[in-house]
Every structure is written in structure tokens, then in C-alpha cells.
Amino acid sequence: MIDILYQLLNSLGYTHPLHPPLTHLPLGLIMGAFFFGIVAVLRKHADLAVTAHYCTFLALLGFLPTVLFGYTDWQHYYQGAMLDEIKAKIILAAALFLALVLAFFLGRKEGDPSRLTFAAYALCFILASSLGYLGGEIVFKGRVSP
């Protein structure tokens, strides 16, 4: 079933994996929440705390399609091989989802730039960065740059 999607895209000239372009949505928003959260806490800036909260909400919306296409790429390009990096990504993705939900609920207080909420944003930032690193390891492992 998944192969039909990739065959269709190949016939249209798109031969790349689907997951990498989608990762920019949730990962960029997680980084946005982290940086807006830093300023909100340091400057006691309520509007930036709200912005960080909305970044978290949008990251949650982009999370599911990113994971879905990560799964389809894994099945299509790696035949579902359980590489160590894939196992780690599955665990980190689950942890990131839980951390995003936590950050979302902690950030619900209208304009409350709390340190606890920022800690949740920081956790999301660390988990997202780790996922990106592992993605790079899967794709570029063993390659030597010129």
C-alpha cells in the first residue's frame, strides 16, 4: 500500500523521502517555543509566553504527519529494519510527544511565563535536537565529506 504512494510520487518526478521536509514544521516550532520561552521568563513578558504556547500547539499539530511519514519512509526505504537508531528514534519520538503535551498544558495559563513551563520547552528542544541528530546518523552514517 505504501509503495503505491511512492510509485505515484516517483511518476510525478518526486523521488525523495517524505519525512525530512515535514520535520521542519514541528522542530522549528519547538525551537521557537524554546527561544520565546527564554525571553518570556527572563523579561517577564506575557505576550511571548503566549507565543511560545501557540508554537507548542502548532508543533503538536505537525507532529502526527511527521511521524506518519517517518514511518512510511522507514518501511519504504529500510523495509522496516530495526536499526539501533530507529529504535532510539521511536523512543525519543514518544518522549517528545509526551513532553509536548506537558508543555502545552503547562503553558495554558494566559501569559504566565513560568520556569516550569520553560523547563518543558527545554526538554522538548533537547528531545527534538536528539531526534534530528539520529536522523542525520541514519542518512549520513559512514559518509566522508570531501
Side-chain angles (χ1 to χ4, degrees):
M1 182 72 166
I2 294 169
D3 288 329
I4 294 170
L5 171 64
Y6 287 93
Q7 289 170 1
L8 172 67
L9 292 171
N10 283 340
S11 72
L12 298 172
Y14 188 85
T15 59
H16 299 285
L18 300 172
H19 175 70
L22 288 175
T23 61
H24 294 80
L25 177 67
L27 297 184
L29 288 162
I30 288 166
M31 291 180 189
F34 175 73
F35 289 115
F36 283 124
I38 288 173
V39 177
V41 168
L42 293 177
R43 309 265 303 176
K44 304 284 187 215
H45 201 289
D47 289 342
L48 292 180
V50 172
T51 302
H53 174 68
Y54 286 131
C55 284
T56 305
F57 174 71
L58 292 172
L60 275 167
L61 289 180
F63 186 84
L64 181 62
T66 302
V67 169
L68 174 67
F69 284 114
Y71 175 80
T72 61
D73 283 353
W74 172 49
Q75 292 299 311
H76 181 75
Y77 292 102
Y78 294 93
Q79 287 75 42
M82 286 304 288
L83 306 172
D84 289 338
E85 293 88 349
I86 295 289
K87 291 176 191 174
K89 281 187 70 119
I90 290 169
I91 292 166
L92 287 173
L96 177 58
F97 179 74
L98 294 174
L100 275 171
V101 169
L102 175 67
F104 175 75
F105 283 108
L106 287 174
R108 274 187 325 177
K109 292 182 185 175
E110 193 71 24
D112 177 26
S114 77
R115 292 179 190 267
L116 182 60
T117 304
F118 173 70
Y121 296 150
L123 176 61
C124 291
F125 181 86
I126 291 166
L127 291 168
S129 298
S130 300
L131 279 163
Y133 175 81
L134 286 172
E137 283 293 302
I138 291 168
V139 173
F140 300 112
K141 189 177 196 175
R143 292 189 185 176
V144 178
S145 58

